[in-house]
Amino acid sequence: MGKLMLTSTFGLVSHKLERIEPDLKGRTVTFIPTASMKDFTGFFNRMAKWKLRALGLNVQEIDVAVASYHDIKTTIASSSMIYVTGGNTFYLLQSLRYSSADELIAQAVREGKTYIGESAGAVVAGPNIEYIKRMDSEDPAPYLDSNYAGLGLVDFNIVPHIDGPALGESAAEIMRHSNSDDHMVPIRDDQAVLVNGPHIELVER
């Protein structure tokens, strides 16, 4: 499954990245803010780039909704990590799919690059995002055509913001309507799922 860090709120657990990437200083991360562009909390989601810089990383920002395929491919190729912010999951998936960034990211993770997903970025890493309808609006993504297949980087579905002040109720509703076949992994804002090949662990701040 490669290396992944899937979070609700990256800023609360950013120091845990060093568990799967112990040597961060001077390395480069592709920062994809696309989901945050269609969300009223977008500014706060984009603040994660300052946390990445505080870890010693060089940040290359690229919005896959407007960037060319060549620029996306070049940016990912010149980074050792990929960071995808929170925001609207449906708009994010639509943008990833229509830019072909979904294929570029999946290939990069298979080749050893680390994927960091916050909220929407964590949800889209799974096999299917349809369940997040109870938390996100589909309105910003009219071209998805009911194709909710995620990136498939992991074989489980992250449910972010469990017990959270803003989205905790939506997260709880998702869990109430799920069953064991859905492979739901609920995480609080102060938790993250770390994937390092076959090893998967839930960590807390």
Side-chain angles (χ1 to χ4, degrees), residues 3 20 60 68 70-71 87-89 105 122 127 133 136 138 144-145 164 168-169 182 184 186 193 195:
K3 286 185 181 180
I20 56 171
Q60 296 189 114
S68 69
H70 175 268
D71 286 351
N88 185 280
T89 313
I105 290 171
K133 282 180 182 181
D136 276 357
E138 287 184 89
L144 272 185
D145 295 327
E169 201 171 302
D182 296 327
M184 298 296 187
V193 173
V195 178

Side-chain angles (χ1 to χ4, degrees), residues 76-112:
I76 290 175
S78 63
S79 304
S80 57
M81 281 168 265
I82 301 161
Y83 186 100
V84 184
T85 71
N88 185 280
T89 313
F90 296 102
Y91 178 71
L92 172 60
L93 181 60
Q94 175 181 276
S95 301
L96 290 169
R97 190 174 291 160
Y98 276 83
S99 64
S100 294
D102 57 346
E103 296 168 5
L104 291 171
I105 290 171
Q107 181 182 346
V109 174
R110 283 195 299 270
E111 291 173 354

Side-chain angles (χ1 to χ4, degrees), residues 48-61:
K49 76 177 84 169
W50 303 109
K51 287 287 185 180
L52 293 166
R53 288 184 178 131
L55 293 170
L57 290 162
N58 300 313
V59 178
Q60 296 189 114
E61 185 169 343

